[in-house]
Amino acid sequence: MPKFQELSEFAEAIAPVINAAHVNVHASAVRAVADLTAASGFTPGLLSDLRFSLPLRPLPRSGLAVLFRYADPEPDVRDHLRQGTLAEDGDGVLRLTDAGRTFIHRLYELHEAAVGRVWAGGDLASAADLVGRVLDTADRLPGGAFELVSPPYEPAGASPGLLLFNRLAVLRYHRADAHAAAWQAAGLSAAEIVRLEDGPLRAQIEADTNRRAGQAYRILPERERHVLYETLLKLI
């Protein structure tokens, strides 16, 4: 079992594990989601990306630039407005429609099935509880992405696996904020960090990212951090 002397070391080690576990479920569900898209005529887009947030709270357009720092979400927004899964208020706030909500709950069903396939045998309830505690106590950067998407929407009767899947997705936004704060502190723009090659400055930014992201895990004693790491590692 690896030993993590500092929270920053833990944040560095667990980040790729979280990403791999999260992507694993998406990959297992991709064919079923494509079938749902074809049958409904609705594209997943933002509905999938923000499935854990839109059912609970509207999204101001100003938040799009924070949630999608490295890509332009406007084509997706236009698609959803045209399809009727999102509606826009006069004050520039995007809200989920009944059609959009129905689509998201169908996504949940597909993700439940995918979790049952690829995470079978994992201690999902314990991991979901640990991640939930991290989300409850993690610092929220004012105006950041994590503030916009947390706490996550959790439908009644959701399985531990679905809860874990969506909680991990929200936790990734905490690290995204930490990364953005690090490259901004280094005087870079979003475009510049995307183009930045490996080297001393990249290493400095990654170290700062891990330091900031590590604070989210301070609620967990060392033993529980190891449990979370080892449990998630078994899901990839």
Side-chain angles (χ1 to χ4, degrees):
M1 179 180 292
K3 291 187 178 298
F4 307 108
Q5 299 299 321
E6 304 290 342
L7 288 174
S8 60
E9 293 177 350
F10 182 74
E12 180 181 13
I14 202 168
V17 176
I18 290 173
N19 288 341
H22 186 257
V23 169
N24 202 13
V25 175
H26 275 302
S28 179
V30 66
R31 180 171 296 179
V33 172
D35 290 342
L36 174 61
T37 298
S40 66
F42 300 146
T43 53
L46 296 184
L47 302 186
S48 179
D49 292 341
L50 300 177
R51 63 193 180 277
F52 42 77
S53 179
L54 287 172
L56 190 59
R57 61 183 69 84
L59 174 64
R61 269 189 179 268
S62 59
L64 290 171
V66 178
L67 291 169
F68 302 95
R69 291 182 173 99
Y70 312 109
D72 180 9
E74 282 301 322
D76 265 354
V77 172
R78 289 194 295 269
D79 282 346
H80 291 305
L81 291 173
R82 185 180 67 253
Q83 294 167 9
T85 51
L86 288 179
E88 184 174 11
D89 293 350
D91 55 358
V93 174
L94 299 169
R95 300 181 185 276
L96 197 63
T97 66
D98 288 343
R101 186 177 298 272
T102 297
F103 187 86
I104 284 178
H105 279 273
R106 288 288 293 117
L107 284 177
Y108 284 155
E109 293 173 4
L110 302 181
H111 292 156
E112 288 262 22
V115 163
R117 290 191 296 271
V118 300
W119 287 356
D123 188 359
L124 307 183
S126 294
D129 176 69
L130 293 172
V131 175
R133 287 166 54 197
V134 171
L135 294 181
D136 287 343
T137 57
D139 294 336
R140 285 163 169 74
L141 181 69
F146 184 62
E147 184 179 59
L148 285 169
V149 299
S150 60
Y153 169 70
E154 298 185 339
S159 70
L162 182 63
L163 295 179
L164 176 60
F165 178 56
N166 286 342
R167 289 175 187 179
L168 288 177
V170 174
L171 184 54
R172 294 171 81 216
Y173 280 98
H174 183 276
R175 184 176 178 85
D177 281 348
H179 186 51
W183 54 253
Q184 288 166 3
L188 300 185
S189 67
E192 288 170 332
I193 188 61
V194 169
R195 296 194 301 267
L196 185 65
E197 297 181 353
D198 289 342
L201 181 56
R202 169 69 77 173
Q204 171 193 320
I205 290 170
E206 293 305 318
D208 192 16
T209 298
N210 292 324
R211 179 184 63 80
R212 295 170 188 268
Q215 297 309 304
Y217 300 100
R218 65 188 182 276
I219 188 63
L220 302 181
E222 183 178 5
R223 180 187 64 80
E224 290 186 330
R225 293 198 298 273
H226 281 296
V227 168
L228 178 60
Y229 179 84
E230 293 295 329
T231 301
L232 295 183
L233 195 62
K234 294 175 183 177
L235 303 182
I236 62 178

